[in-house]
Amino acid sequence: MCGIIGYIGDGRACEIIVKGLKRLEYRGYDSAGIVTGDGERLYIRKGAGRIDELVQRLNFLEMPGNRGLGHTRWATHGVPNDTNAHPHRDCTGRIALVHNGIIENFAELKEELLKRGHRFESDTDSEVIAHLIEEELKFEGSFEEALRRALLRLKGSFALGVVYSGEPDRIYFVRNESPLVLGIGEGENFGASDVPAFLEYTNKVVFLDDGEYAVVKPDSWEVKKIKTGERVHKEVKRIDWSLEMAEKSGFPHFMLKEIFEQPKAVMDAIHGNSGVIAGIAKEIAAYDKIVFVAMGTSYHAALVGKYLFQRLVKKVPIVEEASEFRYEFGDLVDEKTLVIAITQSGETADTLAAMKLAKKRGAKVLAIVNVVGSMATRIADMTLYTHAGPEIGVAATKTYTTQLAVLTMLTIETAKFLGTTEREKLLMLEEELKKVPDAISKALELHGVIKELAETLTSSRDAFYIGRGIGFPTALEGALKLKEISYIHAEGLSAGELKHGPLALLEEGVPVVAVAPTGKTLEKLISNVEEAKARGARAIVVGSSEALKRVADTLIAMPPLDELLSPMVYVVPLQLMAYHLAVLRGNDPDKPRNLAKSVTVE
Ligand code: F6R
């Protein structure tokens, strides 16, 4: 995944683009580059490294001109180095572009272009597009026509920003299966992979759909179809995200800020959905075949959803990673199936593909999404938003707990509608759900304690997270957080599975983190912790029961809470532990190595 930002207006393009790149760095951070245009002249500077370092080394802020494009890269084709960094140019240097996505037929296009005498500078698939436009420009018609013809030859996913020296008054933006949104200002306009890139200047946005491109000038913009060149009517939407939401606001990292935003985010998720959830619950109550699809942290939310549905709606949903669903299972769904897709970004390639497949098979698709107007919301029949605000840290935190809040509300409403659980129990859960933001605040008070705990774990090589029932997905999520940002090997396991193999890995002092809400399997879990301790493990136990004091080497005390609501709170100390371990080990938790925020390619 990469990040694109483009600007045209009367401001200094380089300044606006550098700011945008910093806000997009979460999308990729192995190299970056900028092209600016001053009249008919194009200036390109690019290189491998983080933005801050490149701003100094390449003097990005001295680039002239009032229009330009910036790109932050996360390598897919071609190693991260100076030449593979974007922007890329054609042979004449008159066309420059930035690209996010993958051109699947780039090898054949490159071969054809090489035969026609084009010279390539990089190993990227992206550079092919610049030469292809150059080739098309040799024929009749305008630059726009040449661009369109070139786009028609591309297979794969691409979001593009394109500038041409012969047209100093405009920038082209293109979208096909990679996100691209226009920002509409006063006498200036923007294009970017994501809204925070230009949120400082405007909150008026136009979402491009697949197969569309935009011609953007300082005072106007129009969107057209790649296929026909026909104009498309687009609505300008207002995004209610503030700039502050997209900034660190005094926190050392976005991840920590986002962890601390959870009480408010969960409250917003509850309020934001209270008026709409009953209608959706009514719609979905008719379905017996329910399939959750998601990836990563959103997949863990789906697993929590499964436990909730089983307990309250008395239905057993299937939970599939979207990448598995699309190839192994998708063909078996039909019009009697409800597919619930969970995705923070609404752009995850596998999740989108799973949703499209489900729709093709006649299934009803409900999406639980954070990013307003994202692709998932346009594929789905129904959408519930998580209202978490922008999440910049690569590791998902507040978007996870808000997904859980939405799933909890949805399950309670569906159970009410179907009468599958006693009403008093459902009303009690509903009341207690309102107190979850406070419970999260209480868990956040443990910040200092967790930091001290993390200090004792910095040299751990492995960690095991165990849980049972609805605590099991929290164990998976705790382990995922730890591995992705601290780079400590971590495994999340159902506690019952421990003695079927993983127990062999336990050695003196290995941390075993037990997620132990008070509920029907607590006693069993305590026995599992004892088993682990007998092999020398250090038991770090998260829970509220007095009984845990007996087994815990370190007890992370949680406020008392119904077991079914515990996932939203119990994950918080695990997020903090992963965060502190990452920082103590010298890692940047906002930008873990090899990872990007949205996985927009397979
Ligand atoms: C982990 C993380 C990822 C995402 C996954 C799905 O912290 O953030 O595992 O959860 O890539 O992303 P979305 O939810 O955007 O579909």
Side-chain angles (χ1 to χ4, degrees):
M1 186 180 74
C2 308
I4 292 175
I5 165 78
Y7 170 79
I8 187 158
D10 56 14
R12 288 196 67 219
C14 61
E15 279 175 15
I16 294 161
I17 289 169
V18 164
K19 278 197 213 167
L21 284 178
K22 285 188 186 168
R23 294 194 202 288
L24 288 175
E25 213 178 359
Y26 73 91
R27 298 181 64 87
Y29 30 82
D30 59 40
S31 46
I34 292 180
V35 54
T36 57
D38 190 10
E40 291 215 350
R41 289 202 59 182
L42 295 181
Y43 301 83
I44 293 183
R45 294 185 191 175
K46 59 182 189 169
R50 296 270 170 110
I51 313 265
D52 280 332
E53 179 218 326
L54 292 170
V55 170
Q56 302 296 324
R57 180 155 63 86
L58 302 175
N59 295 322
F60 278 162
L61 292 172
E62 288 173 7
M63 295 173 75
N66 304 110
R67 72 167 171 150
L69 294 164
H71 186 268
T72 176
R73 179 167 188 249
W74 187 64
T76 49
H77 276 82
V79 294
N81 62 23
D82 292 352
T83 40
N84 288 338
H86 298 217
H88 291 288
R89 299 181 289 191
D90 68 325
C91 299
T92 66
R94 301 193 71 202
I95 303 165
L97 59 81
V98 292
H99 167 221
N100 171 27
I102 287 185
I103 305 302
E104 284 160 10
N105 58 338
F106 97 99
E108 59 196 77
L109 291 172
K110 187 166 179 176
E111 199 182 310
E112 176 190 319
L113 290 160
L114 281 169
K115 278 192 196 135
R116 289 179 192 273
H118 289 261
R119 296 175 319 279
F120 283 79
E121 288 172 348
S122 75
D123 306 319
T124 64
D125 53 342
S126 315
E127 191 186 346
V128 165
I129 310 169
H131 293 276
L132 200 58
I133 305 170
E134 178 192 0
E135 193 57 34
E136 291 294 341
L137 204 52
K138 291 177 186 161
F139 302 99
E140 290 278 288
S142 62
F143 179 80
E144 185 177 331
E145 266 309 299
L147 169 68
R148 210 172 61 73
R149 284 198 301 269
L151 295 175
L152 285 171
R153 298 205 54 203
L154 301 180
K155 288 198 185 117
S157 60
F158 46 91
L160 296 170
V162 185
V163 285
Y164 174 51
S165 66
E167 292 182 340
D169 65 337
R170 67 193 69 184
I171 301 182
Y172 295 90
F173 293 101
V174 185
R175 170 181 178 133
N176 195 55
E177 292 183 11
S178 278
L180 203 296
V181 53
L182 304 182
I184 311 302
E186 301 284 328
E188 58 183 9
N189 288 314
F190 307 78
S193 306
D194 203 353
V195 176
F198 54 67
L199 199 53
E200 183 176 346
Y201 308 96
T202 181
N203 65 351
K204 289 197 271 175
V205 303
V206 173
F207 293 102
L208 295 194
D209 280 298
D210 283 347
E212 291 178 349
Y213 69 97
V215 188
V216 177
K217 300 180 185 177
D219 292 307
S220 69
W221 55 273
E222 52 184 1
V223 177
K224 300 181 181 180
K225 286 191 180 148
I226 298 176
K227 221 176 197 162
T228 58
E230 254 175 277
R231 256 191 94 162
V232 189
H233 172 75
K234 302 294 281 190
E235 227 178 284
V236 180
K237 296 199 168 140
R238 259 176 216 277
I239 292 276
D240 60 358
W241 290 357
S242 65
L243 181 63
E244 198 198 359
M245 285 163 117
E247 291 193 322
K248 284 189 204 155
S249 314
F251 283 90
H253 298 101
F254 280 111
M255 183 178 176
L256 191 61
K257 176 184 172 242
E258 287 156 6
I259 290 173
F260 272 84
E261 279 172 347
Q262 290 178 109
K264 181 175 181 307
V266 168
M267 190 129 65
D268 289 347
I270 297 171
H271 290 158
N273 284 293
S274 56
V276 292
I277 207 95
I280 303 269
K282 195 173 164 193
E283 283 258 339
I284 68 173
Y287 292 87
D288 279 328
K289 239 162 110 183
I290 300 169
V291 185
F292 283 98
V293 293
M295 298 301 291
T297 290
S298 296
Y299 172 74
H300 298 155
L303 285 173
V304 173
K306 175 180 156 74
Y307 283 96
L308 289 168
F309 261 72
Q310 284 165 186
R311 292 274 193 99
L312 300 177
V313 184
K314 318 287 184 202
K315 289 183 185 173
V316 186
I318 293 166
V319 182
E320 283 274 332
E321 282 161 352
S323 55
E324 290 299 308
F325 174 90
R326 62 186 289 194
Y327 295 114
E328 292 295 334
F329 183 78
D331 284 339
L332 302 180
V333 304
D334 53 27
E335 63 286 349
K336 294 194 190 111
T337 316
L338 170 74
V339 170
I340 304 181
I342 307 180
T343 166
Q344 181 286 127
S345 60
E347 301 290 350
T348 298
D350 282 318
T351 307
L352 296 183
M355 292 172 75
K356 284 182 191 161
L357 177 58
K359 281 206 73 170
K360 206 166 116 196
R361 303 278 316 156
K364 190 86 151 182
V365 177
L366 165 66
I368 299 178
V369 180
N370 190 43
V371 177
V372 177
S374 56
M375 199 57 204
T377 67
R378 278 172 283 163
I379 299 171
D381 298 299
M382 306 170 277
T383 298
L384 289 171
Y385 283 108
T386 49
H387 299 281
E391 187 175 72
I392 311 288
V394 165
T397 52
K398 63 175 178 170
T399 56
Y400 176 65
T401 40
T402 51
Q403 286 169 347
L404 299 185
V406 174
L407 284 164
T408 309
M409 292 173 80
L410 188 65
T411 317
I412 294 174
E413 279 306 320
T414 312
K416 266 198 217 162
F417 191 77
L418 292 172
T420 43
T421 295
E422 314 81 75
R423 210 169 164 78
E424 296 74 58
K425 165 84 181 167
L426 296 173
L427 295 178
M428 185 279 286
L429 280 174
E430 224 165 39
E431 276 311 300
E432 208 171 322
L433 176 63
K434 291 185 197 146
K435 295 183 194 141
V436 163
D438 281 343
I440 296 177
S441 299
K442 283 239 154 46
L444 287 168
E445 285 169 14
L446 297 173
H447 186 207
V449 177
I450 305 279
K451 186 168 177 227
E452 280 167 23
L453 170 65
E455 277 159 8
T456 68
L457 296 171
T458 48
S459 49
S460 300
R461 198 193 51 192
D462 309 291
F464 295 87
Y465 288 68
I466 58 172
R468 278 178 178 263
I470 201 154
F472 169 42
T474 308
L476 292 175
E477 177 58 11
L480 177 63
K481 286 292 89 95
L482 190 74
K483 61 186 133 187
E484 69 183 330
I485 60 170
S486 78
Y487 316 146
I488 293 172
H489 164 247
E491 279 188 44
L493 302 161
S494 75
E497 184 65 14
L498 203 57
K499 46 179 168 308
H500 295 275
L503 208 55
L505 292 169
L506 296 191
E507 295 170 354
E508 201 57 38
V510 170
V512 170
V513 181
V515 179
T518 305
K520 64 179 185 183
T521 53
L522 182 63
E523 278 310 317
K524 302 273 172 224
L525 183 67
I526 290 177
S527 309
N528 298 131
V529 175
E530 267 161 357
E531 275 158 26
K533 281 187 65 162
R535 273 85 189 168
R538 174 176 170 194
I540 299 165
V541 184
V542 188
S544 65
S545 161
E546 281 291 311
L548 298 174
K549 289 190 179 147
R550 207 174 71 222
V551 284
D553 293 311
T554 306
L555 179 63
I556 302 178
M558 292 284 97
L561 204 64
D562 191 285
E563 186 189 12
L564 295 183
L565 305 177
S566 66
M568 282 173 273
V569 183
Y570 280 45
V571 74
V572 174
L574 307 186
Q575 296 167 340
L576 285 170
M577 196 169 107
Y579 169 80
H580 283 299
L581 273 165
V583 175
L584 287 164
R585 287 163 64 96
N587 306 340
D588 181 346
D590 285 343
K591 302 183 190 96
R593 69 183 180 204
N594 308 335
L595 300 179
K597 182 79 186 151
S598 314
V599 184
T600 53
V601 292
E602 243 186 280

